[in-house]
Amino acid sequence: MAREVWSGSAGIEAADAVFELMRRLIDNFRDNPPVTPLVVLQAGEEDETGTLDRRVAQVVEFVRQGHQPRGLIAARLDGGGGADAYSSAIDLVRQLCEHPWDNQNQSQYKAFGFPRSRLLRAIEQAAPEVGGDVSTVWSAAQRRERLMRRLAELRWRPGRDPDGTDEERRVSAVADTVGAVVNPSGFVGAMFIACLSVLLGEGGWQTALWGGALALAAFGVVHLLARSAPPLLWLRRASRWFATTTFLAPSSDRPAAAEWSRWRPTKSWETIRGRAFAVAQQVVAAQAGDATARQFHLELRVLALLEDLRDNFRPRTLDLRRRKRTVPPVVYLPCATEDDGGLLLLRAISNVRTRRSEVDPLLVLAAIPATERLRPPGSAEPGLPVAPRTDGPAPDDPEHAFAADARYQEWVTGLNVGQSPGRSAALPWILWIPLSAEELRRRHSAQHSTTRIRRTAAWLLWSRPCLAVVLAIALALGFLGNRWMAQRYCEGRLIGSNTDSVLVGGECVGVATGDVRLAAGNGLELYGAGKGVTFDAVEQAIRAENAKIGAEDKYVTIVYAGPVTAADEADTRKGLEEITGVYLYQHYANVSTHQPTKIRVLLANAGENMLQVLPMARHIAELARRDRSVVGVVGLGRDTTESDDAVEILKGAGLPVVSTTNSGSHLARELSNWFGLAATDEEEADALLVVARQLARRAEGARAVVLARKVGSEKDFYTTEQARVGKQMLDRAGFKPLPSRSYGLSPNGEPELTDPVEDICASDPVPRALYFAGRVEDVPNLMSQLGSTPGCSGRPITVFTGDDLAKSNYDEGESLRIPPEVTLYHFALAPMDLVGAAGFYEDAHDVLGDLLPAGKATALAEPARPWEDALFSSGQTVLAYSATAVLYRASKNGDAPQTAPETWADLRWRPNPNLPVGTVSFAGSQPYADQRGHAYKIVRVTYRGHKVRSVTVCGRPAGSDEPLSAPPGREGADPDTVCREE
């Protein structure tokens, strides 16, 4: 139920019927829009004291006071301020167009706009340029040109204050601009607040502050330009009306009313200019006293006013203004006379409505003195009667209370005929209601009340509160969306997120593009002569090399895929050493040798222990589909249960994979895009078989056992393969097998070796050989168990293991104490001492030294044998360097870069000599078959003199088919364990 906002009594009986009539006309406007009349009240008889006229004015004021609290948009006109009736009437029209209406800021919808009236006001201000003062000096064409020049200065818009200073006009323009930008009910204001909300939700208050300031400036400049300049003027609704209205057709230079087209601005401009000149001439004539020009000018201004009001109630608009405005605008004239322009304005409104035959929403309630006549002076028709009808209803007649409503119904019935040309002397749109003296003198009346005008549901569209709620919701959703994006992506934000990498368990998984950093703040340092070179520094060096590649440079993109992050920085050493090798070759190609085709390196992270290899592979494949410069992947050096699927994803994107340390035997057989530099698990077992057979011959009947790590949440398939090939190798060597044992990891990642080692040591006899299918981090615990568990302690035991132990560096503080009776043989994938490319290591040491502050580089431990320095001894840097070289050489044809499929094809025929591991070549290898020619060596590790001693037993460089032999120049090798051809 609507809320009551006012109640009261006029104290004049005549006010009751008028109040009810006005209430019906206002409240029924939405459901059944009535024809809104010009309601004119007049006392039924003249009164020398003026009491009756004042009572009539009180009726008008009573109606206004009763409807004002409802939120009705209304205006009260107390007469114009002109020197004569014409000037006063023009002033009344200007008051309606240029002054604010009552309740316009608290009404159902925003304030009215009057673009047509503003256009006419601009022409009025420029009209003196064609006035009588210059008519004797200038020709018509010259006066027209002066008018157009003045309108151009005004930008076809009226000046706010023609008498104000230039500074005041500038301040007013700036104020209007700022007001338009921050006004949420306008398009520009809504866009500004929306942009501000997005910035606040995306980047915080500082970004929103600076972005808001820039947006305010940008929108302000656009608004100021739109306000100050007349581009697209002919497309404005007011200009179209001015160029096409038939009201101006007889007075324009070219009477055709259709001289306007949105597709022909020149033609439209000519029509607008011609009509503007004609109107300006009429304005000048009206100011000079011409009666016809005055009537034309006044009716044109009234026409513009009514057209503006019609447009403010126009249906079928985006803002649904007709559905929002359910009541008509009301104008009150408490005392309309000839002198104050009120009667002239009423006649002009009626004349325009009659001439146009168009219904507008304006409702007028006026009071005229009893001595006034509605007919203009000199009219042939007598004035409207001033006394009530003799046959009117009696005072006790029920119709008496609704006499005003009855007159309205009678007026509506005769309106059509009243507008006929034959009745032109009449004022058909004026509803004249005479009020009898008796009604005006009777000082009692009914109690009336009014209720607040309700806003419709359509009010929500573009309303300030609705926009505030929508923007608040958008801001909240922006914050939540930005937070969600930030929690999902490594560089996540509401707009412009980098989707090449995602956050998985706190790790950034995927490809580091844009501003994403995988090793930011990682202070893990290289070993040996690389002391001081951190993971962070290597990553920044790669990004710096990428940044040096210009837009015109030719380049290929190589993606390194490996374990770049971990909960503990120490667990990222494999990634650090491999990325160092990739960077060394990037620097060699881009800087040292100035290759025409540059290398761009992108880092891809599969998480700690490469547990997220599948999402990483998907991101690489997606990137390769967008970026055709990606030619392949280097890395994938850990064999997991998901390695096959990851390489298959990359194969689907057409990317070859050149692996570093992944020794999986099955990968080359199952995947045609797999190119491994590492000897496979089966090749490792075949090489260790040479040593194992010699040991088995010396102790006939000796037993052997396999101890393997279980595959758990770490998805480690390497240990499963090692257990399989290790068992086969021991069987082929001649050992009697014991049941294999396995161990798991504790919740904190420690190997649980106590029970399986006790079972092994409890065997009778104790096995002489043990194949350890585990990881390097588990070896110290195994050695400790073998040295302290009864049955094994003090007994000679030979432990064989794969290539993972090559990652260890016992000169750098890693703890490993091998029992004196235990001999450890492990495999290594990079026989650097068998190649002896000393120049590579010296150059690499110099390049890495450039990443350190001046004067802090660490010297190589043994310059004559630099590969033994802890910086290179694990072999992972050398393998990554060689893999990058292999992929890069296949990615270019001469000096021209190739695509990924072309690179894939070239890998099968292009040999790669002069690498730190030898000559890497896949020439002649068939898809889905074993790949040969890998480099490797066997290393014997013992504990003598409180120090771990590592000795290379035998091996061969990459590309060699020679049988295994002792390293050249090596003296003092145990003759019983020297690899030799059987």
Side-chain angles (χ1 to χ4, degrees):
M1 185 175 182
R3 176 173 59 90
E4 183 179 301
V5 293
W6 177 88
S7 65
S9 174
I12 302 174
E13 184 178 2
D16 295 341
V18 176
F19 190 92
E20 287 299 321
L21 172 63
M22 293 296 293
R23 185 184 60 79
R24 290 191 185 93
L25 291 176
I26 293 171
D27 292 346
N28 294 342
F29 184 79
R30 175 189 178 187
D31 298 331
N32 183 21
V35 179
T36 53
L38 308 175
V39 182
V40 177
L41 307 180
Q42 188 178 36
E45 61 184 46
E46 297 183 10
D47 181 12
E48 295 181 357
T49 64
T51 301
L52 296 181
D53 290 338
R54 287 193 295 272
R55 295 284 175 85
V56 175
Q58 288 179 13
V59 172
V60 175
E61 184 63 21
F62 172 69
V63 174
R64 190 187 75 84
Q65 292 178 355
H67 289 280
Q68 182 73 7
R70 305 184 65 190
L72 181 71
I73 295 185
R76 173 176 170 166
L77 302 178
D78 293 320
D84 49 34
Y86 157 75
S87 301
S88 297
I90 291 294
D91 183 65
L92 292 177
V93 176
R94 290 174 179 169
Q95 289 182 40
L96 294 176
C97 300
E98 300 172 10
H99 295 181
W101 291 50
D102 297 336
N103 291 327
Q104 68 176 19
N105 294 326
Q106 292 83 31
S107 63
Q108 294 175 298
Y109 191 39
K110 64 182 181 180
F112 292 142
F114 298 94
R116 296 162 184 81
S117 299
R118 286 172 54 83
L119 176 59
L120 293 181
R121 180 58 174 156
I123 297 175
E124 289 174 356
Q125 292 180 358
E129 299 296 333
V130 299
D133 294 340
V134 298
S135 61
T136 59
V137 180
W138 304 97
S139 64
Q142 291 172 327
R143 283 183 287 138
R144 173 171 170 165
E145 184 62 30
R146 285 170 56 89
L147 175 69
M148 295 304 113
R149 187 182 303 114
R150 178 57 181 156
L151 285 172
E153 293 174 357
L154 292 172
R155 307 303 183 193
W156 291 74
R157 294 169 176 84
R160 175 61 63 91
D161 185 6
D163 299 327
T165 63
D166 292 339
E167 182 178 357
E168 291 173 344
R169 293 192 189 100
R170 286 193 296 268
V171 171
S172 176
V174 172
D176 288 346
T177 299
V178 174
V181 172
V182 300
N183 181 11
S185 64
F187 175 77
V188 173
M191 287 294 296
F192 168 71
I193 296 178
C195 293
L196 188 64
S197 302
V198 171
L199 290 173
L200 187 60
E202 180 179 340
W205 70 270
Q206 290 181 331
T207 302
L209 179 63
W210 288 104
L214 293 176
L216 180 63
F219 283 132
V221 169
V222 172
H223 180 268
L224 191 61
L225 291 176
R227 180 184 183 276
S228 302
L232 305 181
L233 177 65
W234 85 96
L235 295 179
R236 289 165 41 191
R237 190 177 297 275
S239 300
R240 178 178 181 179
W241 166 82
F242 187 72
T244 57
T245 177
T246 57
F247 192 94
L248 292 176
S251 60
S252 61
D253 292 346
R254 301 166 70 176
E259 292 290 328
W260 181 92
S261 172
R262 62 170 50 91
W263 312 117
R264 301 181 66 180
T266 302
K267 181 179 180 181
S268 302
W269 265 109
E270 182 61 27
T271 301
I272 293 172
R273 291 190 184 100
R275 292 193 170 195
F277 181 65
V279 170
Q281 288 180 314
Q282 292 291 335
V283 171
V284 171
Q287 293 173 350
D290 186 283
T292 302
R294 287 188 169 188
Q295 182 177 359
F296 169 83
H297 181 209
L298 177 59
E299 291 188 2
L300 178 61
R301 287 303 304 262
V302 169
L303 173 63
L305 169 67
L306 299 182
E307 288 291 334
D308 284 331
L309 290 176
R310 289 181 66 242
D311 189 65
N312 282 283
F313 283 80
R314 181 165 50 94
R316 295 181 297 277
T317 57
L318 292 178
D319 59 356
L320 302 181
R321 61 185 65 172
R322 183 62 186 87
R323 291 182 177 273
K324 295 177 181 179
R325 292 180 171 130
T326 61
V327 293
V330 181
V331 173
Y332 300 101
L333 286 84
C335 184
T337 65
E338 287 286 354
D339 296 335
D340 67 6
L343 286 178
L344 190 57
L345 176 62
L346 292 174
R347 295 189 192 105
I349 295 175
S350 179
N351 290 340
V352 170
R353 285 182 172 180
T354 302
R355 180 175 176 179
R356 305 299 295 170
S357 298
E358 293 175 344
V359 178
D360 59 79
L362 180 63
L363 176 61
V364 178
L365 177 62
I368 63 175
T371 58
E372 295 286 354
R373 295 294 181 268
L374 290 174
R375 288 295 85 223
S379 173
E381 292 291 329
L384 293 177
V386 297
R389 293 178 301 168
T390 56
D391 58 346
D396 57 348
D397 193 329
E399 186 185 355
H400 179 78
F402 303 99
D405 185 65
R407 284 183 174 274
Y408 171 73
Q409 298 299 334
E410 181 182 356
W411 171 80
V412 170
T413 302
L415 181 61
N416 291 334
V417 176
Q419 296 185 90
S420 300
R423 296 175 57 88
S424 59
L427 297 176
W429 285 92
I430 292 180
L431 172 59
W432 178 64
I433 300 179
L435 302 178
S436 66
E438 182 181 357
E439 292 176 322
L440 291 173
R441 291 191 178 100
R442 194 171 297 171
R443 302 295 293 175
H444 62 82
S445 65
Q447 189 78 8
H448 299 278
S449 64
T450 56
T451 58
R452 177 73 182 180
I453 297 174
R454 289 183 174 180
R455 286 171 171 161
T456 63
W459 166 80
L460 295 174
L461 182 64
W462 305 116
S463 66
R464 288 182 176 88
C466 180
L467 283 175
V469 172
V470 170
L471 291 176
I473 294 175
L475 184 61
L477 292 177
F479 273 118
L480 295 176
N482 188 70
R483 184 177 179 181
W484 182 82
M485 298 292 281
Q487 292 175 345
R488 175 174 176 78
Y489 297 105
C490 306
E491 190 182 12
R493 48 182 176 266
L494 192 61
I495 298 177
S497 289
N498 185 342
T499 59
D500 291 331
S501 54
V502 296
L503 290 172
V504 180
E507 289 185 290
C508 186
V509 175
V511 187
T513 58
D515 295 330
V516 175
R517 292 279 310 279
L518 297 175
N522 191 334
L524 183 66
E525 299 180 359
L526 292 170
Y527 283 146
K531 283 288 187 181
V533 179
T534 64
F535 206 151
D536 185 289
V538 177
E539 183 186 33
Q540 291 194 57
I542 290 176
R543 292 172 62 88
E545 290 295 335
N546 292 342
K548 293 177 183 178
I549 301 175
E552 302 299 326
D553 291 336
K554 297 179 293 185
Y555 68 92
V556 294
T557 300
I558 293 176
V559 180
Y560 166 78
V564 184
T565 61
D568 185 358
E569 286 184 354
D571 294 333
T572 63
R573 180 160 300 280
K574 176 179 178 61
L576 168 59
E577 294 185 351
E578 289 190 333
I579 288 175
T580 300
V582 174
Y583 165 69
L584 288 173
Y585 193 82
Q586 180 189 31
H587 185 275
Y588 170 80
N590 292 1
V591 179
S592 299
T593 59
H594 301 287
Q595 294 293 323
T597 300
K598 306 298 182 182
I599 300 178
R600 183 175 70 127
V601 174
L602 296 179
L603 305 184
N605 182 33
E608 185 172 3
N609 293 327
M610 298 192 69
L611 298 180
Q612 306 298 332
V613 67
L614 287 181
M616 178 199 69
R618 295 189 189 100
H619 284 290
I620 296 175
E622 180 61 29
L623 174 66
R625 294 185 180 98
R626 301 195 320 263
D627 186 354
R628 307 308 298 179
S629 71
V630 178
V631 295
V633 177
V634 166
L636 289 176
R638 184 182 178 93
D639 192 14
T640 71
T641 56
E642 297 175 342
S643 293
D644 299 57
D645 295 334
V647 179
E648 186 70 34
I649 292 173
L650 298 175
K651 177 183 176 182
L655 296 178
V657 178
V658 181
S659 177
T660 51
T661 61
N662 194 327
S663 58
S665 304
H666 59 289
L667 294 170
R669 299 169 185 166
E670 298 174 359
L671 299 158
S672 60
N673 63 323
W674 180 263
F675 301 88
L677 266 64
T680 64
D681 296 322
E682 294 177 357
E683 288 181 277
E684 294 179 13
D686 290 342
L688 289 173
L689 178 62
V690 177
V691 177
R693 279 176 173 168
Q694 298 178 58
L695 296 176
R697 290 194 192 102
R698 290 189 303 181
E700 294 186 6
R703 297 191 174 188
V705 66
V706 175
L707 177 60
R709 181 198 274 195
K710 297 177 181 178
V711 176
S713 59
E714 68 278 3
K715 306 175 184 178
D716 189 4
F717 194 65
Y718 165 81
T719 56
T720 301
E721 281 290 281
Q722 283 286 309
R724 178 181 66 83
V725 299
K727 186 176 185 303
Q728 294 175 353
M729 184 271 290
L730 293 176
D731 290 343
R732 292 165 59 193
F735 289 102
K736 293 183 178 180
L738 288 174
S740 300
R741 306 291 180 178
S742 61
Y743 68 96
L745 300 178
S746 65
N748 60 356
E750 294 295 326
E752 297 178 332
L753 288 166
T754 302
D755 291 341
V757 171
E758 286 182 351
D759 292 342
I760 292 172
C761 295
S763 302
D764 186 20
V766 175
R768 294 288 304 275
L770 184 150
Y771 196 97
F772 182 65
R775 286 291 181 178
V776 60
E777 57 267 24
D778 303 338
V779 172
N781 193 307
L782 173 64
M783 294 296 111
S784 177
Q785 293 286 340
L786 292 177
S788 61
T789 302
C792 292
S793 179
R795 292 181 179 271
I797 298 176
T798 299
V799 177
F800 297 96
T801 187
D803 60 87
D804 201 55
L805 196 65
K807 297 187 298 184
S808 63
N809 198 312
Y810 306 113
D811 295 333
E812 295 293 330
E814 295 186 8
S815 59
L816 178 65
R817 188 180 185 281
I818 302 177
E821 299 81 8
V822 175
T823 301
L824 175 63
Y825 287 92
H826 75 84
F827 206 77
L829 301 175
M832 296 172 285
D833 51 347
L834 301 182
V835 179
F840 159 77
Y841 302 98
E842 294 170 357
D843 293 342
H845 177 252
D846 292 340
V847 171
L848 295 176
D850 293 339
L851 304 183
L852 294 169
K856 292 189 177 180
T858 303
L860 291 167
E862 189 175 348
R865 302 177 63 82
W867 51 83
E868 293 185 354
D869 192 279
L871 172 62
F872 306 107
S873 60
S874 69
Q876 300 199 83
T877 298
V878 171
L879 285 168
Y881 177 93
S882 301
T884 307
V886 169
L887 183 59
Y888 172 70
R889 293 176 183 178
S891 68
K892 61 190 184 74
N893 184 7
D895 293 336
Q898 299 193 121
T899 63
E902 291 170 333
T903 302
W904 184 346
D906 276 10
L907 282 170
R908 294 209 177 271
W909 69 268
R910 185 190 298 267
N912 297 275
N914 303 321
L915 294 177
V917 294
T919 298
V920 178
S921 176
F922 300 98
S925 63
Q926 299 297 320
Y928 307 106
D930 290 332
Q931 296 166 352
R932 301 298 180 184
H934 297 119
Y936 57 83
K937 68 178 179 179
I938 300 173
V939 180
R940 182 178 63 201
V941 183
T942 56
Y943 193 79
R944 300 287 187 273
H946 305 287
K947 185 177 181 181
V948 176
R949 299 181 182 274
S950 299
V951 178
T952 299
V953 176
C954 56
R956 67 185 182 191
S960 174
D961 293 329
E962 297 295 326
L964 294 178
S965 61
R970 177 73 64 178
E971 298 180 358
D974 186 346
D976 293 327
T977 58
V978 171
C979 299
R980 62 178 181 269
E981 184 180 11
E982 292 189 353

